[in-house]
Amino acid sequence: HRLLLENAEQLVLVCGRREPYLRRDGANGLALLRAASLVVGLDGCIKAVGQADVIRNEFSEATFERIIDCSGKCVLPGLVDAHTHPVWAGDRVHEFAMKLAGASYMEIHQAGGGIHFTVEHTRKATEDELLATLQQRLGRMLRAGSTLVECKSGYGLDLDTELKMLRAIERARKSTDIGISSTYCGAHAVPKGKTATEATDDIINNHLPKLKELQLSGEIHVNNIDVFCEKGVFDLESTRRILQAGKDIGLQINFHGDELHPMKSAELGAELGARAISHLEEVSDEGIVAMARAKCAAVLLPTTAYMLRLKQPQARKMLEEGVIVALGSDFNPNAYCFSMPMVMHLACVNMKMSMNEALAAATINAAYALGKSDTHGSLEVGKQGDLLIINSSRWEHLIYQFGGHEALINYVIVKGKVIYENERCEAMSSY
């Protein structure tokens, strides 16, 4: 066998009966074992989870590539970041000052800043340059505990640059340990010199057929299709056309909706069978009910609402209505945050989620939002051995310590292999 984790103070399974997601009541009963051990096989999948003495007897004859003593520590599933924009050139640090001085997101966007600024720099960057910064960013996400990350294109807005971004994501998928769900987000903004209708036609007639061709030849793998459905960007009808065309070539629908204005995005997503919708700060009550019924995940992004001083998404109302709530960092030049532990903390404080709900939202539900909860998001036999060991006797420290993950996360493990080992933890007793 590849790995034995022995005698963890707490082993947080998240769920234990192969649930594809947890709604509110399920999240409140988070599955947890004490004095427990876990075994990962050579195929990278979990072989056994249980009481330490039972596992010790069962595997007394087995050999392991590595044994980690987890006494006084907690084991959790690897975190899943359900929404990121990690491929781009040209940061927007100068715009942060403008935002702090009161400029709105759309004011900056209309003045040629925002997405347009990043597009200009991303178009000039080479694929190798984009790959190098992407790998660094993924490394920082991994050290903050993320083992599966959704990665969007969307700073090209023309076919060549979008493909360059998707190729960089494909190369990162092959060259890094972190799991990647790839998203085509060519409808992230209306390119300069085009109307929304012209941009929509271009995507449907040129971008998507080319993507289909590259998917079939195995050159790139794209999982999801995304559109920024927003007033002054892509309206409901354009959004519907693009998402349907993406669905027709086999992509999961996973899009930006109801962020700055109520657009009826949630109702549209439920109708089209969307796997997930992100943002939802301005979602309608009907939209919430429709998403709950359609089992469409709500990917909430507390960093964005915090940095843009928007009203917070109504996480409590969604949970009470039975929506599957997931979390993402929304890492991008506007919201520069790599850390899902900080996202969970913000979700608890600003969106009034419980710690259990936040952990479910950053593991099993985020995996569900990416269509991967059958293999990721919980510590169950048969699932991929992606996990974290934290240097604390209670798992809640991962959320309670705001920005403390640098000294708290002791090991990050993907498919049973230790990918990151934090020397700092060994020098400190558990806290």
Side-chain angles (χ1 to χ4, degrees):
H1 294 80
R2 184 169 280 172
L3 178 71
L4 167 64
L5 304 185
E6 268 204 306
N7 199 34
E9 185 87 11
Q10 294 184 335
L11 190 71
V12 187
L13 309 176
V14 174
C15 43
R17 293 188 299 275
R18 307 298 294 186
E19 297 93 329
Y21 51 78
L22 294 180
R23 302 195 198 226
R24 183 189 59 173
D25 297 341
N28 289 334
L30 215 58
L32 183 108
L33 297 176
R34 293 172 203 284
S37 297
L38 179 146
V39 173
V40 183
L42 287 171
D43 61 357
C45 294
I46 297 171
K47 297 297 168 210
V49 179
Q51 296 305 324
D53 47 358
V54 175
I55 299 276
R56 195 171 297 127
N57 286 339
E58 193 186 331
F59 290 88
S60 56
E61 304 296 307
T63 53
F64 295 95
E65 282 178 12
R66 181 141 190 200
I67 298 174
I68 299 175
D69 177 10
C70 296
S71 306
K73 300 183 180 185
C74 294
V75 179
L76 300 100
L79 303 176
V80 180
D81 189 340
H83 183 124
T84 82
H85 300 259
V87 192
W88 45 268
D91 69 42
R92 304 212 294 259
V93 67
H94 60 286
E95 287 180 12
F96 191 45
M98 292 159 72
K99 283 186 209 115
L100 297 179
S104 79
Y105 177 88
M106 283 317 268
E107 280 163 1
I108 292 170
H109 185 78
Q110 275 143 10
I115 292 172
H116 294 302
F117 176 88
T118 306
V119 166
E120 210 175 303
H121 287 77
T122 306
R123 284 180 177 176
K124 287 179 191 150
T126 67
E127 190 184 309
D128 287 347
E129 286 167 342
L130 291 175
L131 177 65
T133 52
L134 171 59
Q135 285 171 324
Q136 282 175 322
R137 290 166 189 161
L138 291 171
R140 286 180 73 177
M141 291 175 181
L142 192 77
R143 292 191 290 281
S146 293
T147 54
L148 174 61
V149 174
E150 184 261 6
C151 297
K152 300 178 190 294
S153 72
Y155 293 112
L157 310 184
D158 61 29
L159 181 57
D160 288 348
T161 316
E162 288 295 314
L163 290 178
K164 177 171 72 176
M165 294 178 77
L166 291 169
R167 283 196 180 98
I169 293 170
E170 184 64 30
R171 286 169 67 188
R173 185 209 300 271
K174 293 191 169 113
S175 61
T176 50
D177 296 298
I178 201 164
I180 288 177
S181 178
S182 168
T183 301
Y184 163 73
C185 186
H188 197 199
V190 178
K192 287 180 177 170
K194 277 200 166 99
T195 64
T197 308
E198 288 167 342
T200 301
D201 291 340
D202 184 36
I203 287 166
I204 292 170
N205 299 328
N206 300 315
H207 292 212
L208 292 175
K210 185 68 183 167
L211 266 193
K212 185 180 176 182
E213 182 191 313
L214 294 171
Q215 289 254 72
L216 288 171
S217 70
E219 209 172 309
I220 51 176
H221 297 88
V222 182
N223 306 99
N224 317 289
I225 182 149
D226 191 351
V227 175
F228 188 14
C229 181
E230 185 54 71
K231 196 173 163 186
V233 193
F234 290 92
D235 67 11
L236 207 62
E237 201 37 50
S238 300
T239 300
R240 174 196 294 278
R241 289 180 57 209
I242 295 168
L243 294 177
Q244 185 61 53
K247 187 180 177 179
D248 292 343
I249 64 162
L251 301 177
Q252 290 183 126
I253 298 177
N254 185 337
F255 71 112
H256 291 64
D258 296 328
E259 178 184 359
L260 305 169
H261 299 91
M263 299 285 294
K264 292 203 172 357
S265 306
E267 292 90 325
L268 175 69
E271 181 199 327
L272 292 178
R275 172 53 72 149
I277 307 172
S278 292
H279 282 293
L280 301 165
E281 287 84 354
E282 298 287 342
V283 69
S284 69
D285 291 352
E286 297 76 19
I288 290 175
V289 171
M291 286 180 71
R293 203 173 292 140
K295 297 189 175 124
C296 171
V299 179
L300 305 184
L301 309 167
T303 48
T304 317
Y306 164 73
M307 289 188 206
L308 293 176
R309 297 170 175 155
L310 303 173
K311 74 175 192 201
Q312 296 284 333
Q314 305 174 69
R316 285 258 51 89
K317 187 172 171 61
M318 291 180 195
L319 287 160
E320 275 144 29
E321 294 282 356
V323 175
I324 300 159
V325 173
L327 289 170
S329 67
D330 197 15
F331 171 78
N332 76 78
N334 169 57
Y336 206 104
C337 173
F338 293 109
S339 165
M340 285 304 289
M342 287 180 86
V343 168
M344 289 190 287
H345 178 103
L346 288 170
C348 293
V349 175
N350 290 341
M351 300 196 316
K352 303 184 171 59
M353 289 174 75
S354 70
M355 287 190 282
N356 285 8
E357 287 165 346
L359 184 66
T363 52
I364 192 71
N365 290 357
Y368 173 81
L370 303 178
K372 289 190 179 284
S373 63
D374 54 337
T375 50
H376 293 71
S378 62
L379 301 181
E380 298 182 80
V381 171
K383 283 199 175 184
Q384 194 165 300
D386 294 3
L387 36 105
L388 312 180
I389 302 172
I390 64 168
N391 191 30
S392 169
S393 56
R394 291 193 54 171
W395 74 264
E396 292 93 340
H397 271 271
L398 192 61
I399 297 178
Y400 163 64
Q401 295 188 20
F402 187 47
H405 60 266
E406 288 91 346
L408 181 65
I409 293 176
N410 198 164
Y411 297 90
V412 179
I413 293 163
V414 175
K415 295 182 185 167
K417 280 204 177 103
V418 175
I419 303 303
Y420 170 60
E421 188 167 345
N422 189 347
E423 306 298 332
R424 280 183 217 175
C425 290
E426 301 312 322
M428 303 177 186
S429 58
S430 173
Y431 56 89

